[in-house]
Amino acid sequence: MRLTKDEVGRLSKKIVRRLMSKHLLIWDEGEEKLEGIVNAIITNDLMVEDQLNEEVKLLLEARTKEYERSMMDYGRVFQMVKTKLARERGLIL
């Protein structure tokens, strides 16, 4: 995850405050609860890329020696596999 938990928390607060100040949503409960929901949505979205990275690492680990023998660039192969999996799953990274 590229953002820290504190950064996600601050971002969530800003989003909620901006939406509330512009009257773009109706929320009868406390802002803290809404901030928590927004925080969870952002965190889950950021975790998708982390999980995809781990999955690509596991896929490539099994074939590392094959790549070393063929002199392929691991970083380039990693990005190609990641892009392919993201496209197949409809993920926007």
Side-chain angles (χ1 to χ4, degrees):
M1 187 161 63
R2 294 181 190 145
L3 299 175
T4 65
K5 287 182 179 183
D6 289 339
E7 291 169 330
V8 173
R10 286 195 299 271
L11 181 62
S12 300
K13 282 184 180 183
K14 282 186 175 184
I15 290 170
V16 169
R17 287 186 182 154
R18 172 117 354 139
L19 290 172
M20 298 296 277
S21 70
K22 295 189 180 231
H23 306 286
L24 294 174
L25 64 94
I26 300 169
W27 185 258
D28 294 332
E29 298 182 41
E31 285 187 23
E32 291 176 5
K33 184 174 182 177
L34 185 57
E35 289 170 7
I37 293 169
V38 172
N39 191 319
I41 291 169
I42 293 170
T43 301
N44 288 338
D45 191 59
L46 293 173
M47 296 299 290
V48 168
E49 186 170 1
D50 289 345
Q51 291 167 351
L52 183 61
N53 285 339
E54 285 301 315
E55 188 177 339
V56 172
K57 282 180 190 172
L58 289 175
L59 284 171
L60 295 181
E61 277 180 8
R63 296 180 182 239
T64 299
K65 288 186 180 183
E66 185 178 320
Y67 293 130
E68 288 173 355
R69 275 184 274 149
S70 65
M71 303 290 286
M72 293 180 73
D73 180 10
Y74 180 84
R76 187 171 179 181
V77 173
F78 182 92
Q79 191 60 41
M80 288 171 50
V81 171
K82 182 178 173 181
T83 301
K84 181 180 182 220
L85 290 177
R87 190 176 325 123
E88 287 175 357
R89 296 174 185 174
L91 300 174
I92 299 171
L93 303 176

